[in-house]
Amino acid sequence: LCPFLTKRVPEKIWSNAAVPCLIVHPGIEGDRGMSSIDWALKEHAEEWGVTILQAEDEMDAGDIWATNNFKISRHQGKVPTKSSVYRGECINAAVVGLRQVLHDFAEGNSSPRPLDYSKPNVNGKWRPKMLQADRAVDW
């Protein structure tokens, strides 16, 4: 289990077919890349999510075990911070997803589905690492 990674998992860990290596990714289904929440906040996304996926060679492109979306809280018009989304909505969605995956695994119903961008509920996309220039305020 690899929660909220910032580096790749070594191949010797994720390539063991007998033991699944699960990534907890703070992004909606299909979202890929290291700066998921940064882009969601910059683009004023109203909804985001956490996807639990199988680790593989291509970053965040493995089969999907679970995905849980949530509304991004903006209490009284306040702009949420990356850390507040991580500590709040992301952690809650991750726990729900992990419980679902563990339950399914224990019941023998553990068959992840492939990432399929042709499905209408897959709204994520590849996102580059957000750079300082992407965060600059245009005065």
Side-chain angles (χ1 to χ4, degrees), residues 71-124:
K71 298 285 184 198
I72 295 178
S73 298
R74 289 183 170 85
H75 300 291
Q76 300 175 350
K78 290 184 181 178
V79 177
T81 63
K82 180 178 179 178
S83 60
S84 71
V85 173
Y86 264 122
R87 285 192 315 262
E89 295 97 327
C90 275
I91 295 296
N92 293 336
V95 169
V96 168
L98 287 170
R99 291 180 82 170
Q100 176 185 341
V101 169
L102 293 173
H103 177 267
D104 290 349
F105 201 81
E107 296 291 319
N109 301 326
S110 57
S111 53
R113 65 186 183 284
L115 174 60
D116 184 353
Y117 284 106
S118 70
K119 301 227 178 213
N121 64 314
V122 178
N123 297 313

Side-chain angles (χ1 to χ4, degrees), residues 17-71:
V19 180
C21 181
L22 304 180
I23 306 294
V24 179
H25 177 69
I28 56 175
E29 188 166 339
D31 180 77
R32 299 173 55 208
M34 297 175 66
S35 302
S36 297
I37 292 178
D38 303 272
W39 286 112
L41 293 175
K42 181 178 174 81
E43 295 169 356
H44 307 286
E46 292 183 19
E47 184 175 275
W48 205 239
V50 170
T51 302
I52 300 172
L53 48 95
Q54 182 78 31
E56 66 171 43
D57 189 37
E58 191 175 350
M59 186 88 148
D60 300 330
D63 288 349
I64 297 166
W65 290 74
T67 187
N68 292 287
N69 291 354
F70 53 81
K71 298 285 184 198

